[in-house]
Amino acid sequence: CLSLPFSFSLHFPSPFPLLPTGNMGTLINMLPLFLLFLLLKPLQFVRITDPYLSNERREELEDYLDDLYSTGPTKPPTKEAFKTHVIIDSEMPLTERSYCDQEMKMKRVHNRLYCVKEHFFLRASYEDIQEICNNMFVQCKNGIRKCHRSRGIISGVHCALKSGVMMPFCEYTSSYKMGWVFITCQWQDDIGEIIPVSVNYILAI
């Protein structure tokens, strides 16, 4: 039995109408199908009910669960998303072999719960990374998209998927990198700024 530091309630729509009392055998036969339905049906609403959690912590956990089980369209890139998923704020050494396994979970890096094949973390301020978006276009690693290359040397970690399909069973190979960073950027209308979207490559020195 897994004991969680918080409790939450899950609300599902009924997968089939109520059966008459004389059809108990039919209900029993449908039970495995119903259990499978619960496993596959996305959560429509999650509410944290632990009275000992602060409002801020409760909202953070609810947002996290909503993010995990969201079925809507892919969220557009934002400044906050890049800060959360890419900028390193931990004190763990970048050379730690388990760095990616821990940070990918802590920073909730996944694609609708599926493991991402690769990811980069950067040790730099968001402002320094955003400034790279003003640099000239260069060719990305894949030779297709347009990237911007940093003028200075930046430290980071490259995470390459080693095994696993879905969170939290994704295992990664962590590789410390130091070099020129290649990023993609996009104009964001609501804030009137060009923002970094993804890290394409770190060209090691």
Side-chain angles (χ1 to χ4, degrees), residues 113-129:
L113 286 180
Y114 285 94
C115 311
V116 298
K117 292 184 178 181
E118 72 169 354
H119 187 74
F120 290 91
F121 293 111
L122 301 178
R123 175 158 285 172
S125 69
Y126 174 82
E127 290 72 23
D128 286 345
I129 301 302

Side-chain angles (χ1 to χ4, degrees), residues 42-108:
L43 301 184
Q44 291 191 333
F45 177 69
V46 179
R47 182 167 57 87
I48 308 296
T49 58
D50 193 326
Y52 297 101
L53 287 174
S54 65
N55 290 335
E56 181 179 351
R57 182 59 174 160
R58 183 179 292 106
E59 290 178 3
E60 180 182 344
L61 289 171
E62 288 176 353
D63 288 343
Y64 173 58
L65 291 171
D66 286 342
D67 182 40
L68 286 182
Y69 294 102
S70 172
T71 58
T74 302
K75 295 179 181 178
T78 65
K79 177 188 294 189
E80 293 306 318
F82 189 89
K83 287 181 179 179
T84 299
H85 295 151
V86 177
I87 301 300
I88 292 172
D89 53 10
S90 69
E91 297 181 357
M92 188 190 317
L94 303 188
T95 53
E96 175 66 41
R97 294 181 61 183
S98 62
Y99 190 94
C100 290
D101 287 336
Q102 297 186 47
E103 282 298 291
M104 293 292 273
K105 293 181 179 69
M106 290 295 296
K107 291 184 174 292
R108 311 196 305 260

Side-chain angles (χ1 to χ4, degrees), residues 16 19-20 22-37:
F16 47 80
L19 296 172
N23 291 338
M24 185 58 69
T26 303
L27 178 59
I28 293 174
N29 290 334
M30 293 179 65
L31 185 56
L33 181 61
F34 174 59
L35 293 176
L36 179 62
F37 176 86

